[in-house]
Amino acid sequence: MDFQKFQNIKCICNESVNFELIDEIECDWGEHAVIQCPKCQELFSIDNSCPAFHDVLDLEKNNFKLFSDKEKFDYTSNSHPN
């Protein structure tokens, strides 16, 4: 996903923020690109869904039409097991 999409959007903490990109964080299944909210410090995996981090699709609840249907499909189709 394009990192620019995560600038000046509302986090799940209801603050409008510019998310910070963290290129590589490991989980039990591999490495992820994640973003972090500078206000609440929550981490969101942006490459695929992972139970170790918040689901980036949760951001759409406060940011209508943040992701296309194709982006949602691609993100969830590569998910780790829960």
Side-chain angles (χ1 to χ4, degrees):
M1 285 189 189
D2 179 22
F3 174 67
Q4 294 302 321
K5 144 179 320 236
F6 303 108
Q7 302 302 301
N8 196 30
I9 63 170
K10 256 192 181 178
C11 181
I12 59 172
C13 67
N14 286 324
E15 294 286 333
S16 289
V17 299
N18 290 326
F19 280 88
E20 298 165 358
L21 179 65
I22 302 171
D23 285 331
E24 294 181 12
I25 291 186
E26 287 189 35
C27 75
D28 291 342
W29 299 276
E31 293 183 350
H32 290 281
V34 299
I35 55 172
Q36 184 173 33
C37 175
K39 298 287 185 183
C40 69
Q41 304 301 308
E42 292 293 347
L43 296 170
F44 299 83
S45 173
I46 62 172
D47 51 3
N48 62 329
S49 184
C50 173
F53 308 104
H54 277 278
D55 194 319
V56 77
L57 299 179
D58 291 342
L59 295 174
E60 194 165 53
K61 295 172 187 165
N62 291 330
N63 302 281
F64 186 66
K65 295 285 185 192
L66 183 61
F67 305 106
S68 69
D69 288 341
K70 181 178 180 350
E71 287 173 316
K72 290 178 196 176
F73 176 79
D74 290 347
Y75 182 80
T76 56
S77 66
N78 293 320
S79 299
H80 294 319
N82 284 330

Coordinates of all heavy atoms in Angstrom, one line a residue:
M1 N 0.8 -1.2 0.0 CA 0.0 0.0 0.0 C 0.9 1.2 0.0 O 2.0 1.2 0.6 CB -0.9 0.0 1.2 CG -2.0 -0.9 1.2 SD -3.1 -0.7 2.5 CE -4.2 -2.1 2.3
D2 N 0.4 2.3 -0.6 CA 1.1 3.5 -0.7 C 1.1 4.2 0.7 O 0.1 4.5 1.2 CB 0.4 4.4 -1.7 CG 1.1 5.8 -1.9 OD1 2.3 5.9 -1.5 OD2 0.4 6.7 -2.4
F3 N 2.3 4.5 1.2 CA 2.4 5.1 2.5 C 1.8 6.5 2.6 O 1.3 6.9 3.6 CB 3.9 5.1 2.9 CG 4.1 5.9 4.2 CD1 3.7 5.4 5.4 CD2 4.8 7.1 4.2 CE1 3.9 6.1 6.6 CE2 5.0 7.8 5.4 CZ 4.5 7.3 6.6
Q4 N 1.8 7.2 1.5 CA 1.2 8.6 1.5 C -0.2 8.6 1.9 O -0.7 9.6 2.4 CB 1.4 9.2 0.1 CG 2.9 9.4 -0.3 CD 3.6 10.3 0.7 OE1 3.0 11.3 1.2 NE2 4.8 10.0 1.0
K5 N -0.9 7.5 1.7 CA -2.3 7.4 2.0 C -2.6 7.5 3.5 O -3.6 7.8 4.0 CB -2.8 6.0 1.5 CG -3.8 5.3 2.2 CD -4.2 4.0 1.5 CE -4.4 4.1 0.1 NZ -5.5 3.8 -0.6
F6 N -1.5 7.3 4.3 CA -1.6 7.4 5.8 C -1.2 8.7 6.4 O -0.7 8.7 7.5 CB -0.8 6.2 6.4 CG -1.3 4.9 5.8 CD1 -0.5 4.1 5.0 CD2 -2.5 4.4 6.2 CE1 -0.9 2.9 4.5 CE2 -3.0 3.2 5.7 CZ -2.2 2.4 4.8
Q7 N -1.2 9.7 5.6 CA -0.9 11.1 6.1 C -2.2 11.9 6.3 O -3.1 11.8 5.4 CB 0.0 11.8 5.1 CG 1.3 11.0 4.9 CD 2.1 10.8 6.1 OE1 2.5 11.7 6.8 NE2 2.3 9.5 6.5
N8 N -2.3 12.5 7.4 CA -3.4 13.4 7.7 C -4.8 12.6 7.6 O -5.7 13.0 7.0 CB -3.5 14.6 6.8 CG -4.4 15.7 7.4 OD1 -4.6 15.8 8.6 ND2 -5.0 16.5 6.5
I9 N -4.8 11.5 8.3 CA -6.0 10.7 8.5 C -6.3 10.5 9.9 O -5.5 10.7 10.8 CB -6.0 9.4 7.7 CG1 -4.9 8.4 8.3 CG2 -5.8 9.6 6.2 CD1 -5.0 7.0 7.7
K10 N -7.5 10.0 10.2 CA -7.9 9.8 11.6 C -7.6 8.4 12.0 O -7.9 7.4 11.4 CB -9.4 9.9 11.8 CG -9.8 11.2 12.4 CD -11.3 11.2 12.8 CE -11.5 12.6 13.4 NZ -12.9 12.7 13.8
C11 N -6.9 8.3 13.2 CA -6.5 7.0 13.8 C -7.7 6.4 14.5 O -8.8 7.1 14.7 CB -5.4 7.2 14.7 SG -4.8 5.7 15.5
I12 N -7.6 5.2 15.0 CA -8.7 4.6 15.8 C -8.8 5.4 17.2 O -9.8 5.2 17.8 CB -8.5 3.1 16.1 CG1 -7.1 2.9 16.8 CG2 -8.6 2.4 14.8 CD1 -6.9 1.4 17.2
C13 N -7.8 6.2 17.5 CA -7.9 7.0 18.8 C -8.6 8.3 18.5 O -8.7 9.2 19.4 CB -6.5 7.3 19.3 SG -5.4 8.3 18.3
N14 N -9.2 8.5 17.3 CA -9.9 9.7 16.8 C -9.1 10.9 16.6 O -9.7 12.0 16.5 CB -11.1 9.9 17.7 CG -12.2 8.9 17.5 OD1 -12.5 8.5 16.4 ND2 -12.9 8.6 18.6
E15 N -7.8 10.8 16.6 CA -6.9 12.0 16.4 C -6.5 12.0 14.9 O -6.2 10.9 14.3 CB -5.7 11.9 17.2 CG -5.9 12.0 18.7 CD -6.2 13.4 19.1 OE1 -5.8 14.4 18.4 OE2 -6.9 13.6 20.2
S16 N -6.5 13.1 14.3 CA -6.0 13.3 12.9 C -4.5 13.3 13.0 O -3.9 14.2 13.7 CB -6.6 14.5 12.2 OG -7.9 14.3 11.9
V17 N -3.8 12.4 12.3 CA -2.4 12.3 12.5 C -1.7 12.0 11.1 O -2.3 11.6 10.2 CB -2.0 11.2 13.5 CG1 -2.5 11.5 14.9 CG2 -2.4 9.8 13.0
N18 N -0.4 12.2 11.1 CA 0.5 11.7 10.0 C 1.2 10.4 10.6 O 2.0 10.6 11.5 CB 1.5 12.7 9.6 CG 0.9 13.9 8.9 OD1 -0.1 13.7 8.2 ND2 1.5 15.0 9.1
F19 N 0.8 9.3 10.1 CA 1.4 8.0 10.6 C 2.9 8.0 10.3 O 3.3 8.5 9.3 CB 0.7 6.8 10.1 CG -0.6 6.5 10.7 CD1 -1.8 7.1 10.3 CD2 -0.7 5.6 11.8 CE1 -3.0 6.8 11.0 CE2 -1.8 5.3 12.5 CZ -3.0 5.9 12.0
E20 N 3.6 7.3 11.2 CA 5.0 7.1 10.9 C 5.3 5.7 10.4 O 4.6 4.8 10.9 CB 5.8 7.3 12.3 CG 5.6 8.7 12.8 CD 6.0 8.9 14.3 OE1 6.4 7.9 14.9 OE2 6.0 10.0 14.8
L21 N 6.1 5.6 9.4 CA 6.4 4.3 8.8 C 7.6 3.6 9.5 O 8.6 4.2 9.8 CB 6.7 4.5 7.3 CG 7.1 3.2 6.5 CD1 5.9 2.3 6.4 CD2 7.6 3.6 5.2
I22 N 7.4 2.3 9.8 CA 8.4 1.5 10.4 C 8.6 0.4 9.4 O 7.7 -0.4 9.2 CB 8.1 0.9 11.8 CG1 7.8 2.1 12.7 CG2 9.2 0.1 12.3 CD1 7.3 1.7 14.1
D23 N 9.7 0.4 8.7 CA 9.9 -0.6 7.5 C 9.9 -2.0 7.9 O 9.2 -2.8 7.2 CB 11.3 -0.3 6.8 CG 11.2 1.0 6.0 OD1 10.1 1.3 5.5 OD2 12.3 1.6 5.9
E24 N 10.5 -2.4 8.9 CA 10.6 -3.9 9.2 C 10.4 -4.2 10.7 O 11.1 -3.7 11.5 CB 11.9 -4.5 8.8 CG 12.1 -4.4 7.3 CD 13.4 -5.1 6.9 OE1 14.1 -5.7 7.7 OE2 13.8 -4.9 5.7
I25 N 9.3 -4.9 11.0 CA 9.1 -5.4 12.4 C 8.8 -6.9 12.2 O 8.0 -7.3 11.3 CB 7.9 -4.7 13.1 CG1 8.3 -3.3 13.4 CG2 7.5 -5.5 14.3 CD1 7.3 -2.6 14.3
E26 N 9.4 -7.7 13.0 CA 9.2 -9.2 12.9 C 8.0 -9.6 13.8 O 7.7 -9.1 14.8 CB 10.4 -9.9 13.4 CG 11.5 -9.9 12.4 CD 12.7 -10.8 12.7 OE1 12.4 -11.9 13.2 OE2 13.8 -10.4 12.5
C27 N 7.3 -10.7 13.2 CA 6.3 -11.4 14.0 C 6.7 -12.9 13.9 O 7.7 -13.2 13.3 CB 4.9 -11.1 13.5 SG 4.5 -12.0 11.9
D28 N 5.9 -13.8 14.4 CA 6.1 -15.2 14.3 C 6.2 -15.7 12.9 O 6.7 -16.8 12.6 CB 5.1 -16.0 15.1 CG 5.3 -15.7 16.6 OD1 6.3 -15.2 17.0 OD2 4.3 -16.0 17.4
W29 N 5.6 -15.0 11.9 CA 5.5 -15.5 10.6 C 6.4 -14.8 9.6 O 6.4 -15.1 8.4 CB 4.0 -15.4 10.1 CG 3.1 -16.2 10.9 CD1 2.8 -17.6 10.8 CD2 2.3 -15.8 12.0 NE1 1.9 -18.0 11.7 CE2 1.6 -16.9 12.5 CE3 2.2 -14.6 12.7 CZ2 0.7 -16.8 13.6 CZ3 1.3 -14.5 13.8 CH2 0.6 -15.6 14.2
G30 N 7.1 -13.8 10.0 CA 7.9 -13.1 9.1 C 8.1 -11.6 9.4 O 7.9 -11.2 10.6
E31 N 8.4 -10.8 8.5 CA 8.6 -9.3 8.7 C 7.4 -8.5 8.0 O 6.8 -9.0 7.1 CB 9.9 -8.9 8.1 CG 11.1 -9.4 8.8 CD 12.4 -8.9 8.2 OE1 12.4 -8.3 7.1 OE2 13.4 -9.2 8.8
H32 N 7.2 -7.4 8.6 CA 6.1 -6.5 8.2 C 6.6 -5.1 8.0 O 7.5 -4.6 8.7 CB 4.9 -6.5 9.2 CG 4.2 -7.7 9.3 ND1 3.2 -8.1 8.4 CD2 4.2 -8.7 10.2 CE1 2.7 -9.2 8.7 NE2 3.3 -9.6 9.8
A33 N 5.9 -4.4 7.1 CA 6.0 -2.9 7.1 C 4.8 -2.5 7.9 O 3.6 -2.9 7.7 CB 5.8 -2.4 5.7
V34 N 5.0 -1.6 8.9 CA 3.9 -1.1 9.8 C 3.9 0.4 9.9 O 5.0 1.0 9.6 CB 4.0 -1.7 11.2 CG1 3.9 -3.3 11.2 CG2 5.3 -1.3 11.9
I35 N 2.8 0.9 10.3 CA 2.7 2.3 10.6 C 2.4 2.5 12.0 O 1.7 1.6 12.6 CB 1.7 3.0 9.7 CG1 0.3 2.4 9.8 CG2 2.2 3.1 8.2 CD1 -0.8 3.2 9.1
Q36 N 2.8 3.6 12.6 CA 2.5 3.8 14.0 C 1.9 5.2 14.2 O 2.3 6.2 13.6 CB 3.8 3.8 14.8 CG 3.6 3.9 16.3 CD 4.8 3.7 17.1 OE1 5.9 4.0 16.7 NE2 4.7 3.1 18.3
C37 N 0.8 5.3 15.0 CA 0.2 6.5 15.4 C 1.1 7.3 16.4 O 1.5 6.7 17.4 CB -1.2 6.3 16.0 SG -2.0 7.8 16.6
P38 N 1.4 8.5 16.0 CA 2.3 9.3 17.0 C 1.6 9.7 18.3 O 2.2 10.1 19.2 CB 2.7 10.5 16.2 CG 1.7 10.7 15.1 CD 1.1 9.3 14.8
K39 N 0.2 9.6 18.3 CA -0.5 10.0 19.5 C -0.7 8.8 20.4 O -0.3 8.8 21.5 CB -1.9 10.6 19.1 CG -1.9 11.8 18.2 CD -1.5 13.0 19.1 CE -1.6 14.2 18.2 NZ -1.1 15.4 18.9
C40 N -1.3 7.7 19.9 CA -1.7 6.6 20.8 C -0.6 5.5 20.7 O -0.7 4.5 21.5 CB -3.1 6.0 20.5 SG -3.2 5.2 18.9
Q41 N 0.3 5.6 19.8 CA 1.4 4.6 19.6 C 1.0 3.2 19.1 O 1.8 2.3 19.1 CB 2.2 4.4 20.9 CG 2.8 5.7 21.5 CD 3.7 6.4 20.5 OE1 4.6 5.8 20.0 NE2 3.5 7.7 20.3
E42 N -0.3 3.1 18.6 CA -0.7 1.8 18.1 C 0.0 1.5 16.8 O 0.3 2.4 16.0 CB -2.2 1.8 17.9 CG -3.0 1.9 19.2 CD -2.9 0.6 20.0 OE1 -2.4 -0.4 19.5 OE2 -3.3 0.7 21.2
L43 N 0.3 0.2 16.6 CA 0.9 -0.3 15.3 C -0.1 -0.9 14.4 O -0.9 -1.7 14.9 CB 2.0 -1.2 15.7 CG 3.2 -0.7 16.5 CD1 4.1 -1.8 17.0 CD2 4.0 0.3 15.7
F44 N 0.0 -0.7 13.1 CA -0.9 -1.3 12.1 C 0.0 -1.9 11.0 O 0.8 -1.2 10.5 CB -1.7 -0.2 11.5 CG -2.7 0.5 12.4 CD1 -2.2 1.6 13.2 CD2 -4.0 0.1 12.6 CE1 -3.1 2.2 14.1 CE2 -4.8 0.7 13.5 CZ -4.4 1.8 14.2
S45 N -0.2 -3.1 10.7 CA 0.5 -3.8 9.6 C -0.1 -3.3 8.3 O -1.4 -3.4 8.2 CB 0.3 -5.3 9.8 OG 0.8 -5.9 8.6
I46 N 0.7 -2.8 7.4 CA 0.2 -2.3 6.1 C 0.4 -3.3 4.9 O -0.1 -3.0 3.9 CB 0.7 -0.9 5.8 CG1 2.2 -0.9 5.6 CG2 0.3 0.1 6.8 CD1 2.7 0.4 5.0
D47 N 1.2 -4.4 5.1 CA 1.4 -5.3 4.0 C 0.4 -6.4 4.0 O 0.0 -6.8 2.9 CB 2.8 -5.8 4.0 CG 3.3 -6.4 5.3 OD1 2.5 -6.4 6.3 OD2 4.5 -6.7 5.4
N48 N 0.0 -6.9 5.1 CA -1.1 -7.9 5.2 C -1.5 -8.0 6.7 O -0.9 -7.5 7.6 CB -0.6 -9.3 4.7 CG 0.6 -9.9 5.4 OD1 1.4 -9.2 6.0 ND2 0.6 -11.2 5.5
S49 N -2.6 -8.7 6.9 CA -3.2 -8.8 8.2 C -2.4 -9.7 9.1 O -2.0 -10.8 8.6 CB -4.7 -9.3 8.0 OG -5.3 -9.4 9.3
C50 N -2.2 -9.3 10.3 CA -1.4 -10.1 11.2 C -1.9 -9.9 12.6 O -2.2 -8.8 13.0 CB 0.1 -9.7 11.2 SG 1.1 -10.5 12.4
P51 N -2.2 -11.0 13.4 CA -2.7 -10.9 14.7 C -1.8 -10.2 15.7 O -2.3 -9.7 16.8 CB -3.0 -12.3 15.2 CG -2.2 -13.2 14.2 CD -2.0 -12.4 13.0
A52 N -0.5 -9.9 15.4 CA 0.4 -9.2 16.3 C 0.2 -7.7 16.2 O 0.7 -7.0 17.1 CB 1.8 -9.6 15.9
F53 N -0.5 -7.2 15.2 CA -0.7 -5.8 15.0 C -2.2 -5.5 14.7 O -2.9 -6.4 14.4 CB 0.2 -5.2 13.9 CG 1.6 -5.6 14.0 CD1 2.1 -6.7 13.2 CD2 2.4 -5.0 14.8 CE1 3.4 -7.0 13.3 CE2 3.8 -5.4 14.9 CZ 4.3 -6.4 14.1
H54 N -2.5 -4.2 14.8 CA -3.9 -3.8 14.4 C -4.0 -4.0 12.9 O -3.0 -3.9 12.2 CB -4.1 -2.3 14.7 CG -4.6 -2.1 16.1 ND1 -5.8 -2.2 16.6 CD2 -3.8 -1.7 17.2 CE1 -5.9 -2.0 17.8 NE2 -4.7 -1.6 18.3
D55 N -5.2 -4.3 12.5 CA -5.5 -4.4 11.1 C -5.7 -3.0 10.5 O -6.4 -2.2 11.0 CB -6.9 -5.2 11.0 CG -7.1 -5.7 9.6 OD1 -6.9 -4.9 8.6 OD2 -7.6 -6.8 9.5
V56 N -4.9 -2.7 9.4 CA -5.0 -1.4 8.8 C -6.4 -1.1 8.3 O -6.8 0.1 8.2 CB -3.9 -1.3 7.7 CG1 -4.3 -2.0 6.5 CG2 -3.6 0.2 7.4
L57 N -7.2 -2.1 8.0 CA -8.6 -1.8 7.6 C -9.4 -1.2 8.7 O -10.4 -0.6 8.4 CB -9.2 -3.1 7.0 CG -8.5 -3.7 5.8 CD1 -9.2 -5.0 5.4 CD2 -8.3 -2.8 4.7
D58 N -9.0 -1.3 9.9 CA -9.7 -0.7 11.0 C -9.7 0.9 10.9 O -10.6 1.5 11.4 CB -9.1 -1.0 12.4 CG -9.3 -2.4 12.8 OD1 -10.2 -3.1 12.2 OD2 -8.5 -2.9 13.7
L59 N -8.7 1.4 10.1 CA -8.6 2.8 9.9 C -9.8 3.3 9.0 O -10.1 4.5 9.1 CB -7.3 3.2 9.3 CG -6.1 3.0 10.2 CD1 -4.8 3.2 9.5 CD2 -6.2 3.8 11.5
E60 N -10.4 2.5 8.3 CA -11.4 2.9 7.4 C -12.7 3.3 8.1 O -13.5 4.0 7.6 CB -11.7 1.8 6.3 CG -12.6 2.4 5.2 CD -12.6 1.5 4.0 OE1 -12.9 0.3 4.1 OE2 -12.3 2.0 2.9
K61 N -12.8 2.8 9.3 CA -14.0 3.2 10.1 C -14.1 4.7 10.3 O -15.2 5.2 10.4 CB -14.0 2.4 11.5 CG -14.1 0.9 11.3 CD -13.9 0.2 12.6 CE -13.9 -1.3 12.4 NZ -13.3 -2.0 13.5
N62 N -12.9 5.3 10.5 CA -12.9 6.8 10.6 C -12.5 7.5 9.4 O -12.4 8.8 9.4 CB -11.9 7.2 11.8 CG -12.4 6.7 13.1 OD1 -13.6 6.7 13.4 ND2 -11.4 6.4 14.0
N63 N -12.2 6.8 8.3 CA -11.8 7.4 7.1 C -12.5 6.7 5.9 O -11.9 5.8 5.3 CB -10.2 7.3 6.9 CG -9.5 7.9 8.1 OD1 -9.3 9.1 8.1 ND2 -9.1 7.0 9.0
F64 N -13.6 7.2 5.6 CA -14.5 6.5 4.6 C -13.8 6.4 3.3 O -13.1 7.4 2.8 CB -15.8 7.3 4.4 CG -16.8 6.7 3.6 CD1 -17.4 5.5 3.9 CD2 -17.1 7.3 2.4 CE1 -18.3 4.9 3.1 CE2 -18.1 6.7 1.5 CZ -18.7 5.5 1.9
K65 N -13.8 5.3 2.6 CA -13.2 5.0 1.3 C -11.7 5.2 1.3 O -11.1 5.6 0.3 CB -13.9 5.9 0.2 CG -15.3 5.6 0.0 CD -15.5 4.3 -0.8 CE -17.0 4.1 -1.1 NZ -17.2 2.8 -1.6
L66 N -11.0 4.9 2.4 CA -9.6 4.9 2.4 C -8.9 3.9 1.5 O -7.9 4.2 0.9 CB -9.1 4.8 3.9 CG -7.6 4.9 4.1 CD1 -7.1 6.3 3.8 CD2 -7.3 4.6 5.6
F67 N -9.6 2.8 1.4 CA -9.0 1.7 0.6 C -10.0 1.3 -0.5 O -11.2 1.2 -0.3 CB -8.8 0.4 1.5 CG -7.9 0.7 2.6 CD1 -8.4 0.8 3.9 CD2 -6.5 1.0 2.4 CE1 -7.6 1.1 5.0 CE2 -5.7 1.3 3.5 CZ -6.2 1.3 4.8
S68 N -9.4 0.9 -1.7 CA -10.3 0.4 -2.8 C -10.6 -1.1 -2.4 O -10.0 -1.7 -1.6 CB -9.5 0.4 -4.1 OG -8.4 -0.5 -4.1
D69 N -11.6 -1.6 -3.1 CA -11.9 -3.0 -2.9 C -10.7 -3.9 -3.3 O -10.5 -4.9 -2.6 CB -13.1 -3.4 -3.8 CG -14.4 -2.8 -3.3 OD1 -14.5 -2.4 -2.1 OD2 -15.4 -2.7 -4.1
K70 N -9.9 -3.6 -4.3 CA -8.8 -4.4 -4.6 C -7.7 -4.4 -3.5 O -7.2 -5.4 -3.2 CB -8.2 -3.9 -5.9 CG -6.9 -4.8 -6.3 CD -6.3 -4.4 -7.6 CE -5.2 -5.2 -8.1 NZ -4.5 -6.1 -7.2
E71 N -7.5 -3.2 -2.9 CA -6.6 -3.1 -1.8 C -7.0 -3.9 -0.6 O -6.2 -4.6 0.0 CB -6.4 -1.6 -1.4 CG -5.6 -0.8 -2.3 CD -5.6 0.7 -1.9 OE1 -6.7 1.2 -1.6 OE2 -4.5 1.3 -2.0
K72 N -8.3 -3.9 -0.3 CA -8.8 -4.7 0.8 C -8.7 -6.2 0.5 O -8.2 -7.0 1.4 CB -10.3 -4.4 1.0 CG -10.6 -3.1 1.6 CD -12.1 -2.9 1.7 CE -12.5 -1.4 1.9 NZ -13.9 -1.2 1.9
F73 N -8.9 -6.6 -0.7 CA -8.8 -8.0 -1.1 C -7.3 -8.4 -1.0 O -7.0 -9.5 -0.4 CB -9.3 -8.2 -2.5 CG -9.1 -9.7 -3.0 CD1 -10.0 -10.7 -2.6 CD2 -8.1 -10.0 -3.8 CE1 -9.8 -12.0 -3.0 CE2 -7.8 -11.3 -4.2 CZ -8.7 -12.3 -3.8
D74 N -6.4 -7.7 -1.6 CA -5.0 -8.0 -1.5 C -4.5 -8.1 -0.1 O -3.7 -9.0 0.2 CB -4.2 -7.0 -2.3 CG -4.4 -7.1 -3.8 OD1 -5.0 -8.0 -4.3 OD2 -4.0 -6.1 -4.5
Y75 N -4.9 -7.2 0.7 CA -4.5 -7.1 2.1 C -4.9 -8.4 2.9 O -4.2 -9.0 3.6 CB -5.0 -5.9 2.8 CG -4.6 -5.7 4.2 CD1 -3.3 -5.2 4.5 CD2 -5.4 -6.0 5.3 CE1 -2.9 -5.0 5.8 CE2 -5.0 -5.8 6.6 CZ -3.8 -5.3 6.9 OH -3.4 -5.1 8.2
T76 N -6.2 -8.7 2.7 CA -6.7 -9.9 3.5 C -6.3 -11.2 2.9 O -6.3 -12.2 3.6 CB -8.3 -9.8 3.6 OG1 -8.8 -9.7 2.4 CG2 -8.7 -8.6 4.5
S77 N -6.1 -11.3 1.6 CA -5.7 -12.5 1.0 C -4.4 -13.1 1.4 O -4.1 -14.2 1.3 CB -5.8 -12.5 -0.5 OG -4.9 -11.6 -1.1
N78 N -3.5 -12.2 1.9 CA -2.2 -12.6 2.4 C -2.1 -12.7 3.9 O -1.0 -12.7 4.4 CB -1.1 -11.6 1.9 CG -1.0 -11.7 0.4 OD1 -1.0 -12.7 -0.2 ND2 -0.8 -10.5 -0.3
S79 N -3.2 -12.8 4.6 CA -3.2 -12.8 6.0 C -2.5 -14.0 6.7 O -2.4 -15.1 6.1 CB -4.7 -12.8 6.5 OG -5.3 -11.6 6.1
H80 N -2.0 -13.7 7.9 CA -1.4 -14.8 8.7 C -2.6 -15.5 9.4 O -3.6 -14.9 9.6 CB -0.5 -14.2 9.8 CG 0.7 -13.6 9.3 ND1 1.5 -14.1 8.2 CD2 1.4 -12.5 9.7 CE1 2.5 -13.3 8.0 NE2 2.5 -12.3 8.9
P81 N -2.4 -16.7 9.8 CA -3.4 -17.4 10.6 C -3.6 -16.7 12.0 O -2.6 -16.2 12.5 CB -2.8 -18.8 10.8 CG -1.4 -18.7 10.6 CD -1.2 -17.6 9.7
N82 N -4.8 -16.8 12.5 CA -5.1 -16.2 13.8 C -4.8 -17.2 14.9 O -5.0 -18.4 14.7 CB -6.5 -15.7 13.9 CG -6.7 -14.4 13.2 OD1 -5.7 -13.6 13.1 ND2 -7.8 -14.2 12.6

